[in-house]
């Protein structure tokens, strides 16, 4: 067991709280639903970026490359000023959903380079232009562009020309649970000397202004811990922090920075023309540094927000390092040959100097040892780097998420009452929801809120490095203060009542097996506990989404945004409803996931055998309905095309296939599982019920295929698609002119590039084209596109399903790979090829380029950029370029698992 694994064990056993501090700040708190108190739910407009420096947040805090405790009471982050910007750079800038021609989009360059699961070591990089940051130009240029234009990016403004920018690298190393070393290194890449004001900032989340609790923590300068530069000592200053939740701690600052203090209070006079509650406000430090207002900061050097101002002058190519320490260990100044900061209880232990650097070196080495155990030994250094940064992105994307819907709806005692419309508006039916936890976010700027099905996928690669955190995340959404009393899981804050695909059971089963393989011990308590909660959610699905009780499910949105002909979350313009191929398939998959869990639990508790039987029966009914709806001869499988489609059910009873070749027709492949003879034989109750069901339902044979395996006995295949249908779908799946891109499986077939699907309703055309990049429609804000690009979550599930089919059919079933090539491959090899194509997105090609960077030449060619990887939300269906949210390491972090599985060839 290496050092990081020991820390994980101590954290799991609650011996040491190694995860108390971590990267739990958001990167965008402004423009979120939880900060929105507008009459009509216009979150982006109610709290814009321009308010963020002056206005106190109600529900959380944000910052650049920052950390906080797990309750986000004490926060630390970087701020900086290049001497030209109109404001301090305290938070990342981007376009709102209304400003961007493809929805919201961060317009900054920053990278998560490393992190261990306990955050004992972390490293991040922010690239800051030396020219004035072009806030206005980014808004203006993107506003005039249309849906068919590419986005206007920060590089396009020219502010990085001649490499006139700073690399600002933040590193954190924990000496102990509450003793955090901080190193900030600034490098001038430009051709001339440049100045930078660096402001490491510490502050308290405002919990005192809302009328619930008026306790106010305090930060103050500690004169006794400061000394001037002398005899080789570089000097020091210190800020003492006191919060009743944690007692005292200190931010120790090496050197002689100027300490500035203000209050984390709203500047109401500036924003709204009303009187301020306090004479010193949130943007006081900004006004002091940028505008020279000497009276904007507190002369008594105390408050709830403080910073250490380092004025740096850096020559071309040079670097300057600033060292700080956030610690609960009381320091004092000791006089040696020169003054030094030491531990009060151990005066020979220096807090800076060589001891500081030794701790950093040790933590880096321990991080290397930890990740060496998680990468296949035969992969390239490039693949190793991609996997390491994928894990780093996942771990940096943890965020303290706080949202109390009841309080949000009713308002705070000290605040104005929310508009009456709120009681009938967004999320009003979720008054049970109270969230105050560290949660894995899809992207802490673009999506700084959890999403139910995203989170399930996050947990797969997270389980590779921290199974405990993965299990906690899956369990969290099933808690009574998250899950609705009716059993529905909260989707995301813009609409908690939306419906995401039911993949929670799949993720729980996968995490259970990953941990069992890693640790050699199964956590049955976790599996049993989560199974009981999932039963409630399964019942909600059955009762709410099967409109006619025919085992055909509608589902609605189902996470695939604009994939359909119509908005699947809204009433159909034709009337009637959709019988959704993917909705029904997801439920088939859900049944099989629950069956697998029940069978595992039944190994030690026979009571689960009857539950397993019910899921088997339910699955067979769904499989039958997919091919003969309610005995009416209507099916979602189109025999003519050999593909699955949604069926439009009109009010007059007519039904029509919506013949869009999309993931909707591939998702039936995901509902597949095998039953092994040795498991069935150990469960006599289940075996007896299964046999009775087969004997009394002659059609069961169409949905349960049987094979005799030498030395293994009878193996049964449970699948929505039979062998013939599998072969037919595979022809589309592996056709490079249809779904099979050089970089994975497309969301919609390339066939629709020249043959768009058009349906005319009420004088309007409803059209689906193949769009391999950004969406040309405004559906779901226009910042997401399922009409052609490559998405990791469905690709990952398809790989897994093909492996399961191969487990049953073996080499006896092969497919043409690619279709039309004349070359045959097993389903296992076909799955491996998808995996290789997906990982190829991030790896350097023979010419040194990475497909993910597309046409961004600076990223493709320059050493300071080319090895810093972005894990985008989705990828161009033809060339693999990254599109959408640039830091969605969440589900795109699945590439870390693919690299582990693929090994050689990466």
């Amino acid at each position: 067991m290496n050092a990081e694994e020991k820390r994980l064990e101590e954290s799991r056993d609650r011996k040491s709280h190694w995860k108390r501090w971590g990267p739990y700040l958001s990167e965008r708190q402004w423009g979120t639903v939880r900060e929105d108190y507008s009459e009509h739910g216009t979150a982006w407009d109610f709290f814009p970026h321009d308010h963020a420096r002056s206005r106190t947040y109600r529900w959380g805090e944000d910052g650049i490359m920052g950390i906080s405790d797990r309750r986000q009471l004490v926060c630390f982050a970087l701020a900086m000023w290049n001497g030209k910007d109109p404001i301090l750079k305290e938070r990342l800038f981007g376009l709102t959903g209304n400003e961007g021609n493809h929805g919201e989009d961060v317009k900054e360059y920053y990278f998560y380079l490393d992190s261990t699961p306990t955050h004992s070591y972390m490293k991040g990089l922010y690239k800051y232009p030396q020219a004035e940051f072009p806030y206005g130009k980014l808004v203006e240029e993107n506003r005039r562009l249309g849906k068919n234009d590419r986005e206007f990016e920060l590089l396009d403004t020219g502010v990085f020309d001649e490499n006139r920018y700073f690399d600002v690298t933040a590193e954190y190393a924990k000496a102990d649970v509450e003793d955090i070393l901080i190193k900030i290194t600034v490098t001038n890449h430009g051709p001339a000397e440049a100045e930078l004001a660096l402001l490491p900032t510490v502050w308290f989340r405002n919990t005192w202004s809302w009328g619930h609790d008026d306790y106010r923590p305090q930060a103050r300068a500690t004169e006794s811990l400061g000394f001037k530069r002398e005899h080789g000592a570089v000097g020091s200053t210190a800020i003492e922090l006191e919060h009743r939740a944690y007692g005292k701690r200190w931010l120790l600052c090496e050197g002689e920075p100027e300490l500035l203090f203000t209050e984390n209070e709203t500047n109401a006079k500036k924003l709204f023309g009303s009187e301020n509650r306090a004479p010193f406000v949130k943007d006081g430090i900004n006004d002091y540094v940028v505008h020279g207002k000497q009276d904007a900061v507190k002369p008594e050097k105390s408050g709830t927000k403080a910073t250490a101002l380092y004025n740096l002058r850096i020559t071309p190519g040079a670097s300057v390092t600033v060292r700080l320490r956030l610690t609960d260990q009381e320091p004092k100044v000791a006089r040696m040959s020169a003054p030094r900061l030491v531990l009060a209880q151990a005066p020979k232990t220096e807090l800076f100097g060589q001891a500081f650097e030794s701790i950093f070196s040790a933590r880096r080495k321990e991080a290397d040892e930890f990740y060496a155990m998680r990468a296949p030994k035969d992969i390239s250094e490039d693949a190793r780097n991609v996997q390491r940064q994928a894990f780093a992105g996942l771990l940096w994307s943890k965020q303290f998420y706080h949202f109390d819907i009841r309080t949000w709806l009713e308002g705070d005692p000290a605040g104005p009452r929310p508009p009456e419309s709120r009681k009938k508006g967004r999320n009003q039916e979720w008054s049970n929801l109270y969230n105050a936890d560290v949660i894995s976010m899809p992207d802490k700027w673009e999506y700084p809120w959890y999403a139910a099905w995203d989170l399930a996928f996050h947990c797969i690669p997270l389980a590779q490095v921290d199974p405990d955190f993965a299990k906690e995340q899956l369990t969290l959404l099933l808690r009574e203060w998250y899950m609705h009393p009716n059993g529905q899981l909260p989707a995301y804050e813009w609409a908690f009542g939306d419906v995401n695909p039911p993949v929670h059971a799949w993720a729980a089963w996968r995490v259970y097996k990953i941990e069992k393989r890693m640790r050699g011990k199964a956590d049955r308590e976790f599996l049993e506990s989560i199974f009981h909660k999932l039963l409630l959610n399964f019942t909600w699905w059955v009762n709410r989404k099967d409109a006619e009780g025919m085992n055909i499910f509608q589902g609605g949105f189902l996470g695939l945004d604009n994939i359909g002909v119509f908005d699947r979350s809204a009433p159909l313009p034709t009337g009637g409803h959709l019988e959704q191929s993917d909705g029904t398939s997801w439920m088939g998959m859900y049944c099989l996931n629950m069956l697998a869990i029940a069978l595992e639990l039944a190994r030690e508790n026979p009571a689960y055998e009857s539950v397993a039987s019910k899921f088997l029966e339910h699955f067979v009914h769904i499989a039958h309905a997919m091919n003969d709806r309610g005995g009416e001869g209507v099916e979602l499988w189109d025999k003519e095309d050999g593909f699955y489609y949604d069926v439009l059910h009109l009010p007059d009873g007519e039904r029509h296939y919506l013949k869009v070749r999309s993931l909707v027709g591939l998702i039936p492949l995901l509902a597949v599982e095998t039953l092994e003879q040795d498991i069935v034989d150990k469960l006599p109750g289940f075996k007896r019920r299964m046999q009775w069901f087969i004997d009394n339902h002659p059609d069961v044979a169409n949905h349960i295929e049987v094979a005799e395996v030498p030395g293994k006995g009878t193996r049964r295949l449970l699948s929505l698609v039979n062998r013939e249908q599998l072969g037919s779908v595979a022809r589309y799946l592996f056709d490079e002119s249809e779904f099979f891109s050089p970089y994975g499986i497309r969301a919609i077939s390339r066939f629709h590039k020249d043959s768009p699907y058009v349906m005319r309703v009420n004088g309007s055309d409803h059209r689906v084209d193949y769009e391999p990049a950004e969406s040309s429609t405004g559906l779901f804000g226009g910042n997401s596109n399922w009409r052609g690009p490559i998405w990791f979550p469905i690709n990952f599930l398809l790989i897994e399903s093909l492996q399961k089919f191969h487990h049953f059919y073996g080499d006896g079933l092969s497919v043409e790979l690619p279709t039309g090539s004349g070359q045959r491959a097993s389903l296992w090899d076909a799955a491996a090829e998808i995996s290789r194509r997906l990982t190829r997105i991030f790896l350097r090609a023979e010419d040194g380029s990475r497909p993910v960077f597309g046409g961004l030449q600076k990223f493709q060619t320059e050493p300071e950029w080319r090895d810093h990887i972005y894990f985008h939300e989705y990828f161009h269906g033809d060339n693999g370029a990254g599109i959408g949210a640039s830091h969605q390491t969440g589900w795109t972090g699945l590439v870390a698992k693919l690299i582990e599985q693929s090994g050689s060839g990466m």
Side-chain angles (χ1 to χ4, degrees):
M1 185 179 290
N2 57 47
E4 180 63 13
E5 289 170 340
K6 289 177 183 175
R7 283 189 283 267
L8 285 168
E9 183 177 63
E10 291 171 359
S11 177
R12 179 171 67 252
D13 296 340
R14 298 186 180 277
K15 293 179 180 177
S16 298
H17 299 291
W18 283 105
K19 299 178 191 174
R20 176 171 290 161
W21 292 83
Y24 307 143
L25 286 178
S26 177
E27 276 152 7
R28 177 175 63 81
Q29 185 70 15
W30 58 273
T32 59
V33 168
R34 35 198 200 287
E35 300 292 344
D36 175 28
Y37 286 80
S38 66
E39 184 175 0
H40 302 293
T42 51
W44 286 112
D45 300 326
F46 181 79
F47 203 134
H49 175 270
D50 199 41
H51 282 200
R53 67 183 178 278
S54 307
R55 187 171 169 186
T56 302
Y57 293 127
R58 172 63 180 87
W59 296 102
E61 295 290 340
D62 57 17
I64 298 174
M65 296 295 164
I67 60 172
S68 77
D69 65 282
R70 65 180 301 111
R71 295 163 63 190
Q72 209 179 82
L73 297 173
V74 184
C75 309
F76 173 90
L78 309 188
M80 61 208 82
W81 186 54
N82 58 15
K84 302 180 181 70
D85 285 355
I87 59 175
L88 284 183
K89 177 64 71 173
E90 294 182 273
R91 56 190 48 81
L92 300 172
F93 173 74
L95 304 181
T96 71
N98 305 321
E99 292 170 338
N101 60 320
H102 295 290
E104 63 266 32
D105 186 41
V106 68
K107 297 299 183 185
E108 306 266 16
Y109 298 117
Y110 58 104
F111 307 88
Y112 308 125
L113 300 181
D114 209 356
S115 180
T116 58
T118 64
H119 311 295
S120 58
Y121 178 71
M122 297 167 55
K123 184 178 182 180
L125 169 65
Y126 173 69
K127 291 182 177 288
Y128 186 36
Q130 294 169 6
E132 180 180 340
F133 196 92
Y135 293 103
K137 188 173 185 179
L138 286 165
V139 173
E140 292 161 12
E141 289 295 319
N142 279 283
R143 186 173 281 156
R144 70 177 182 80
L145 297 173
K147 295 292 183 187
N148 293 315
D149 297 314
R150 77 171 189 87
E151 294 171 342
F152 183 76
E153 302 292 1
L154 184 57
L155 277 174
D156 297 325
T157 67
V159 294
F160 284 93
D161 289 356
E162 298 182 291
N163 287 330
R164 293 180 183 270
Y165 69 91
F166 298 106
D167 267 354
V168 183
T169 303
E171 291 181 273
Y172 299 88
K174 292 182 181 179
D176 205 341
V177 172
E178 302 277 359
D179 188 5
I180 305 168
L181 284 60
I182 305 166
K183 184 150 65 170
I184 306 165
T185 303
V186 183
T187 302
N188 177 7
H189 286 290
E193 185 176 70
E195 296 181 357
L196 178 73
L198 181 67
L199 299 95
T201 303
V202 64
W203 72 101
F204 300 103
R205 176 164 63 90
N206 187 323
T207 57
W208 56 86
S209 293
W210 320 112
H212 301 282
D213 183 353
D214 62 1
Y215 168 75
R216 184 187 292 259
Q218 193 69 218
R220 61 184 71 86
T222 310
E223 300 295 339
S224 62
L225 295 176
F227 58 85
K228 299 290 185 181
R229 182 187 303 269
E230 59 175 279
H231 302 299
V234 297
S236 81
T237 57
I239 299 169
E240 181 183 280
L241 307 161
E242 187 167 7
H243 196 293
R244 66 185 179 191
Y246 296 117
K248 287 185 180 180
R249 64 195 58 239
W250 294 263
L251 179 66
L252 309 176
C253 311
E254 193 178 48
E256 301 178 69
E258 182 181 5
L259 300 184
L260 306 173
F261 292 79
T262 188
E263 301 291 346
N264 187 8
E265 295 275 6
T266 296
N267 189 342
K269 186 175 183 179
K270 173 185 175 181
L271 296 176
F272 311 115
S274 56
E275 288 300 311
N276 288 333
R277 288 165 43 107
F280 297 95
V281 288
K282 185 177 177 180
D283 56 12
I285 294 170
N286 175 87
D287 289 352
Y288 177 89
V289 174
V290 177
H291 303 298
K293 294 184 178 180
Q294 300 295 307
D295 60 353
V297 295
K298 299 183 72 172
E300 62 267 36
K301 295 199 178 292
S302 66
T304 50
K305 179 180 179 181
T307 195
L309 171 60
Y310 291 87
N311 290 306
L312 309 178
R313 182 183 292 272
I314 310 173
T315 57
S319 298
V320 174
T321 296
V322 168
R323 301 192 293 186
L324 307 100
R325 192 160 184 160
L326 182 62
T327 181
D328 67 341
Q329 303 293 304
E330 185 174 358
K332 74 172 188 177
V333 176
R335 289 273 170 184
M336 300 176 188
S337 57
R340 298 281 192 274
L341 271 179
V342 298
L343 286 178
Q345 293 183 339
K348 292 185 178 180
T349 304
E350 287 192 50
L351 293 170
F352 289 111
Q354 186 55 47
F356 185 97
E357 293 300 328
S358 296
I359 292 170
F360 259 103
S361 296
R363 295 298 173 267
R364 289 192 199 100
K365 182 181 177 183
E366 290 161 4
D368 290 343
E369 291 170 349
F370 178 79
Y371 283 112
M373 300 291 290
R374 273 128 191 101
K377 289 183 172 55
D378 55 355
I379 63 171
S380 67
E381 281 304 310
D382 189 34
R384 201 176 297 273
N385 176 51
V386 170
Q387 187 190 46
R388 180 96 168 241
Q389 289 189 48
F391 285 132
L394 277 162
L395 295 167
W396 269 92
S397 294
K398 296 179 184 180
Q399 177 186 312
F400 172 75
Y401 183 89
H402 188 27
F403 201 5
D404 173 1
I405 291 286
R406 187 181 296 278
T407 299
W408 182 75
L409 290 172
E410 296 175 355
D412 292 303
R417 289 189 61 81
E420 284 299 308
S421 59
R422 168 157 295 193
K423 294 178 181 178
K424 297 181 180 179
R426 175 179 288 140
N427 296 327
Q428 50 83 21
E429 70 279 17
W430 284 81
S431 60
N432 69 293
L433 190 137
Y434 181 90
N435 301 164
D437 296 284
V438 172
I439 306 178
S440 176
M441 297 291 136
D443 178 317
K444 289 205 296 185
W445 192 94
E446 192 141 344
Y447 305 118
W449 30 261
Y450 64 86
W453 84 304
D454 295 58
L455 185 61
F457 288 103
H458 301 183
C459 290
I460 307 307
L462 280 170
Q464 292 176 263
V465 294
D466 190 355
D468 297 308
F469 183 70
K471 291 185 294 183
E472 289 165 10
Q473 294 293 286
L474 290 170
T475 302
L476 202 58
L477 262 63
L478 295 163
R479 298 286 191 194
E480 54 269 31
W481 48 91
Y482 282 77
M483 178 190 275
H484 195 279
N486 65 17
Q488 185 180 8
L489 297 186
Y492 47 86
E493 68 174 31
W494 286 91
F496 282 120
D498 264 357
V499 183
N500 281 179
V503 291
H504 227 71
W506 166 80
W509 180 230
R510 290 288 274 124
V511 168
Y512 172 82
K513 291 191 291 185
I514 290 170
E515 182 185 30
K516 184 178 179 180
R517 173 177 56 81
M518 286 176 55
R519 292 178 171 165
K521 181 181 179 183
D523 189 348
R524 298 181 67 82
E525 183 179 347
F526 157 73
L527 194 65
E528 186 167 18
S529 172
I530 205 165
F531 181 75
H532 284 277
K533 291 296 186 73
L534 286 168
L535 286 172
L536 299 175
N537 179 245
F538 186 88
T539 302
W540 175 83
W541 265 90
V542 171
N543 290 340
R544 295 296 299 275
K545 292 299 173 183
D546 181 7
E548 298 179 342
M550 297 290 189
N551 293 300
I552 294 292
F553 294 83
Q554 297 169 56
F557 165 53
L558 284 176
L560 305 186
D561 293 13
N562 63 342
I563 200 167
V565 181
F566 309 112
D567 180 349
R568 304 197 305 174
S569 287
L572 298 175
T574 60
H577 63 266
L578 284 180
E579 293 163 350
Q580 290 180 224
S581 179
D582 57 334
T584 304
S585 303
W586 286 122
M587 279 305 290
M589 175 180 163
Y590 200 172
C591 283
L592 293 180
N593 298 148
M594 294 294 277
L595 170 62
I597 295 172
L599 290 174
E600 176 71 7
L601 295 174
R603 287 172 178 260
E604 294 185 9
N605 187 343
Y608 288 101
E609 293 186 47
S610 61
V611 182
S613 299
K614 289 301 295 181
F615 283 111
L616 173 66
E617 293 170 18
H618 206 126
F619 170 76
V620 172
H621 290 315
I622 289 174
H624 182 64
M626 285 277 288
N627 296 287
D628 183 6
R629 181 189 176 279
E632 298 173 9
V634 177
E635 52 186 313
L636 301 179
W637 174 258
D638 180 13
K639 290 186 176 70
E640 182 181 354
D641 290 0
F643 201 74
Y644 283 100
Y645 299 114
D646 284 347
V647 173
L648 177 61
H649 183 166
L650 296 172
D652 62 5
E654 285 190 31
R655 294 182 180 85
H656 301 279
Y657 286 121
L658 299 180
K659 292 196 172 187
V660 179
R661 294 213 278 271
S662 73
L663 289 179
V664 166
L666 300 181
I667 288 173
L669 297 177
L670 308 184
V672 55
E673 195 62 71
T674 56
L675 288 180
E676 302 297 326
Q677 182 72 52
D678 63 330
I679 295 175
V680 173
D681 286 346
K682 291 174 184 175
L683 306 173
F686 173 76
K687 184 176 183 180
R688 186 174 62 253
R689 293 183 188 93
M690 180 180 70
Q691 194 58 52
W692 180 92
F693 188 69
I694 292 172
D695 293 342
N696 287 273
H697 293 79
D699 58 308
V700 167
N702 296 326
H703 313 297
I704 302 180
E705 195 169 342
V706 177
E708 294 299 322
V709 182
K712 298 282 187 179
T714 302
R715 179 173 291 162
R716 294 174 175 84
L717 177 73
L718 308 178
S719 172
L720 288 183
V721 303
N722 59 35
R723 183 171 183 146
E724 181 181 350
Q725 291 169 326
L726 175 60
S728 180
V729 172
R731 283 194 291 275
Y732 292 104
L733 181 66
F734 295 114
D735 188 333
E736 293 181 324
S737 65
E738 297 255 7
F739 290 100
F740 203 33
S741 161
Y743 304 99
I745 303 301
R746 302 176 175 107
I748 278 183
S749 169
R750 204 168 188 273
F751 164 81
H752 293 299
K753 179 181 181 180
D754 298 320
S755 303
Y757 182 85
V758 182
M759 186 175 187
R760 191 162 184 80
V761 178
N762 300 328
S764 298
D765 284 344
H766 295 263
R767 178 185 180 109
V768 175
D769 292 85
Y770 172 69
E771 300 179 84
E774 301 279 12
S775 171
S776 64
T777 76
L779 213 56
F780 290 91
N783 67 330
S784 187
N785 183 25
W786 288 81
R787 293 185 174 183
I790 295 149
W791 292 77
F792 261 73
I794 305 298
N795 270 263
F796 189 85
L797 290 174
L798 285 168
I799 290 168
E800 183 179 276
S801 296
L802 291 170
Q803 291 171 338
K804 288 181 179 180
F805 279 117
H806 179 266
H807 179 66
F808 181 80
Y809 291 118
D811 293 341
L813 177 60
S814 64
V815 294
E816 203 174 13
L817 188 71
T819 301
S821 67
Q823 299 175 335
R824 309 293 297 184
S826 70
L827 292 174
W828 185 272
D829 290 338
E833 180 59 21
I834 298 174
S835 181
R836 279 190 290 272
R837 292 187 180 210
L838 289 166
T839 52
R840 194 182 297 161
I841 290 171
F842 306 99
L843 299 174
R844 279 194 197 166
E846 289 185 6
D847 63 359
S849 66
R850 299 183 194 274
V852 63
F853 292 148
L856 300 174
Q857 287 307 303
K858 204 170 192 70
F859 280 86
Q860 295 287 19
T861 59
E862 297 191 12
E864 294 80 15
W865 296 72
R866 66 186 184 189
D867 292 328
H868 302 324
I869 312 299
Y870 275 161
F871 298 88
H872 287 262
E873 183 181 6
Y874 53 100
F875 302 87
H876 195 292
D878 293 335
N879 62 36
I883 307 171
S886 57
H887 289 72
Q888 191 147 347
T889 321
W891 61 24
T892 301
L894 288 163
V895 70
K897 181 64 175 164
L898 294 180
I899 289 173
E900 181 204 62
Q901 292 174 183
S902 299
S904 60
M906 292 298 106

